[in-house]
Amino acid sequence: MKVLDIPRSGKRGNRVWQRNRYCQYSYPAFVPFNPRSPAQIAVRANFAAVSARWRTLTEAQRIIWCRVARTKWSKPRLCQKGRLTGILLFMKVNVALANRGLAQVDLPPGYL
């Protein structure tokens, strides 16, 4: 819906306002559906457990994850490209293992 009054941006009430290079427009805000299915709850629990596990690593292990992560590129989204951080690589590797029911690793794959 094209709107021609005072410039706005962000969410206001039940509408979201944005601008593109041609005009300002708005659309109804919506709340995404969250079914809380058993599978979804299990995946979120794995993510939380792996995140908590990062804090139990020794400083030497964290440094190793960070050094290996500097050699890895993130997947480009919206023309953004960059290197991974240590915790992002740790999460990427171990969440995938946890979701498959496999044992998690303390050091990056291929490090030894």
Side-chain angles (χ1 to χ4, degrees):
M1 175 175 148
K2 192 170 180 179
V3 179
L4 296 173
D5 54 309
I6 302 169
R8 298 178 184 176
S9 67
K11 184 177 176 188
R12 304 257 171 113
N14 62 351
R15 307 252 348 134
V16 177
W17 298 83
Q18 290 183 338
R19 274 185 70 127
N20 61 20
R21 64 183 183 176
Y22 303 111
C23 65
Q24 179 178 353
Y25 60 98
S26 72
Y27 53 90
F30 66 95
V31 177
F33 179 66
N34 186 3
R36 292 184 179 88
S37 67
Q40 186 183 55
I41 291 170
V43 168
R44 288 179 177 172
N46 286 339
F47 192 87
V50 172
S51 179
R53 197 167 158 274
W54 169 259
R55 294 185 289 275
T56 66
L57 294 180
T58 65
E59 189 63 27
Q61 289 171 324
R62 288 185 192 183
I63 290 170
I64 291 169
W65 279 99
C66 291
R67 286 186 181 157
V68 172
R70 273 190 238 137
T71 66
K72 307 285 183 188
W73 287 95
S74 66
K75 187 173 184 178
R77 302 278 168 104
L78 298 173
C79 300
Q80 297 173 348
K81 193 163 92 172
R83 304 230 182 244
L84 291 176
T85 62
I87 189 169
L88 289 178
L89 181 61
F90 179 81
M91 295 293 290
K92 179 180 178 177
V93 169
N94 285 310
V95 167
L97 291 172
N99 286 340
R100 291 184 186 107
L102 301 174
Q104 298 178 35
V105 294
D106 289 334
L107 296 174
Y111 175 72
L112 296 175

